[in-house]
Amino acid sequence: MSSSLLGILIMCAGVLCLALGDAISKWLGGSFDPIQIIFFRTLVSLPLIALLARFNGGWASLKTHRPGVHLLRGLIFTGTMFFFVTGLTLLPLAETTAIAFAAPLFVTLLSGPLLKERVEAVPFVASLVGFGGVLIVVRPGAAGFQWGALIVVGAAVCYALMMITARLYGGKERLWAMVFYATLVPMLVSAALLPGVWRTPHGLHWLGFLAAGVLGVGAISCITLAFRYAPAALAAPFDYTAMVWAVLLGWWLWGEVPDVWVFVGAGVIIASGVAIAVHERRVAIKARPST
């Protein structure tokens, strides 16, 4: 098996973990407030992330000289999780997933004003087209419009800000430190708010909270590992296999059947994301020094 194929398979496994975790969070959202779901997901994930850091660079990999940066990223990630979990409780799984795909498009649109980067014509146009795909899914003003869709758009914007801060500080901070503190902050914030929303879990709920946390760490681990085996531009588009899982899980667990506009909009968003990935790949190849 080639290294690239292995990377793609690992990426697909990570995306499956994400989809299963989202489905479990949606199920838990029928009984618990998003704050409680976030608390248990991060409570389970944090020690697992610490163990992964321990065996991938030692405890020194968690050291940082930029606590303010991690606090900011953690607060942004808290918003991401809250908006996304809330959206899961309000929208079908496939529709939530399709809107969330817009995050990389927002990265392109925001990298100019926030990072002072020159955005080339191809990714800029592709992002605008992708945003049109978001509007197709959300359909503001239409009879089927749901306010939950705008909440998921908020999650996509927050996650885009997470990716932008990773681009800013990823070369200055260790990977596992960034993941650890981005998980620690929402755990602390949700713990502070938990008494106001607490409901005692029963039976399978405990298993659901545990599984959601474990799957989240599994997704991070697989996706990180995938980029070690396959080029980013090759592996990243397979993130969109999440749409397949979202449709299947939504249909199997809740009888959700997305209408045609969700598929059309998702197709536009995915095509735009792939176009940006291909363009970045070509730019990276051209930038390599000739031998």
Side-chain angles (χ1 to χ4, degrees), residues 25-27 29-30 34 82-93 95-96 99 144-152 256:
S25 293
K26 180 177 176 64
W27 170 66
F82 179 78
F83 288 141
F84 188 73
V85 174
T86 301
L88 284 172
T89 66
L90 299 173
L91 296 176
L93 187 60
E95 188 171 339
T96 305
I99 298 171
F145 171 72
Q146 298 185 58
W147 285 102
L150 294 184
I151 294 175
V152 183
E256 299 171 349

Side-chain angles (χ1 to χ4, degrees), residues 46 49 62 70 73 77 174-184 220 224:
L46 198 64
I49 292 170
L62 298 181
H70 293 295
R73 296 187 77 250
F77 192 48
R174 297 177 177 89
L175 168 65
W176 290 109
M178 297 185 75
V179 175
F180 180 83
Y181 295 112
T183 306
L184 175 63
I220 293 172
T224 302

Side-chain angles (χ1 to χ4, degrees), residues 79-160:
T80 304
M81 296 182 74
F82 179 78
F83 288 141
F84 188 73
V85 174
T86 301
L88 284 172
T89 66
L90 299 173
L91 296 176
L93 187 60
E95 188 171 339
T96 305
T97 301
I99 298 171
F101 282 155
L105 309 179
F106 285 119
V107 171
T108 300
L109 294 175
L110 293 173
S111 60
L114 295 182
L115 298 178
K116 307 301 180 185
E117 293 181 352
R118 178 178 175 272
V119 180
E120 297 186 16
V122 171
F124 182 74
V125 172
S127 295
L128 292 180
V129 172
F131 188 69
V134 174
L135 294 178
I136 292 173
V137 176
V138 174
R139 281 163 289 172
F145 171 72
Q146 298 185 58
W147 285 102
L150 294 184
I151 294 175
V152 183
V153 171
V157 172
C158 286
Y159 192 66

Side-chain angles (χ1 to χ4, degrees), residues 8-289:
I8 289 171
L9 292 176
I10 295 173
M11 182 70 176
C12 290
V15 172
L16 175 58
C17 287
L18 276 179
L20 291 172
D22 291 344
I24 292 172
S25 293
K26 180 177 176 64
W27 170 66
L28 290 170
S31 303
F32 301 95
D33 189 271
I35 293 296
Q36 189 165 347
I37 296 173
I38 292 169
F39 173 74
F40 279 111
R41 283 193 67 161
T42 52
L43 181 68
V44 172
S45 298
L46 198 64
L48 297 177
I49 292 170
L51 284 176
L52 286 171
R54 167 64 179 83
F55 293 105
N56 290 274
W59 298 120
S61 63
L62 298 181
K63 291 182 179 179
T64 180
H65 299 291
R66 296 178 177 83
V69 169
H70 293 295
L71 175 61
L72 175 62
R73 296 187 77 250
L75 291 174
I76 295 172
F77 192 48
T78 302
T80 304
M81 296 182 74
F82 179 78
F83 288 141
F84 188 73
V85 174
T86 301
L88 284 172
T89 66
L90 299 173
L91 296 176
L93 187 60
E95 188 171 339
T96 305
T97 301
I99 298 171
F101 282 155
L105 309 179
F106 285 119
V107 171
T108 300
L109 294 175
L110 293 173
S111 60
L114 295 182
L115 298 178
K116 307 301 180 185
E117 293 181 352
R118 178 178 175 272
V119 180
E120 297 186 16
V122 171
F124 182 74
V125 172
S127 295
L128 292 180
V129 172
F131 188 69
V134 174
L135 294 178
I136 292 173
V137 176
V138 174
R139 281 163 289 172
F145 171 72
Q146 298 185 58
W147 285 102
L150 294 184
I151 294 175
V152 183
V153 171
V157 172
C158 286
Y159 192 66
L161 293 174
M162 283 290 292
M163 289 190 279
I164 287 173
T165 56
R167 185 180 297 179
L168 270 173
Y169 298 102
K172 305 170 186 177
E173 288 288 311
R174 297 177 177 89
L175 168 65
W176 290 109
M178 297 185 75
V179 175
F180 180 83
Y181 295 112
T183 306
L184 175 63
V185 173
M187 189 194 77
L188 295 177
V189 171
S190 59
L193 300 174
L194 190 59
V197 300
W198 174 263
R199 289 188 63 187
T200 302
H202 298 285
L204 286 177
H205 291 146
W206 288 112
L207 184 60
F209 284 124
L210 176 64
V214 171
L215 286 167
V217 176
I220 293 172
S221 302
C222 287
I223 292 171
T224 302
L225 188 61
F227 290 124
R228 294 185 183 180
Y229 287 98
L234 179 62
F238 285 88
D239 182 38
Y240 297 117
T241 57
M243 191 65 191
V244 176
W245 296 117
V247 171
L248 292 176
L249 289 169
W251 168 74
W252 181 42
L253 297 174
W254 294 283
E256 299 171 349
V257 180
D259 64 28
V260 65
W261 293 112
V262 172
F263 287 109
V264 171
V268 173
I269 296 168
I270 291 170
S272 300
V274 172
I276 292 172
V278 171
H279 175 78
E280 291 181 348
R281 173 65 174 168
R282 289 175 177 172
V283 170
I285 291 174
K286 289 180 180 179
R288 290 176 184 171

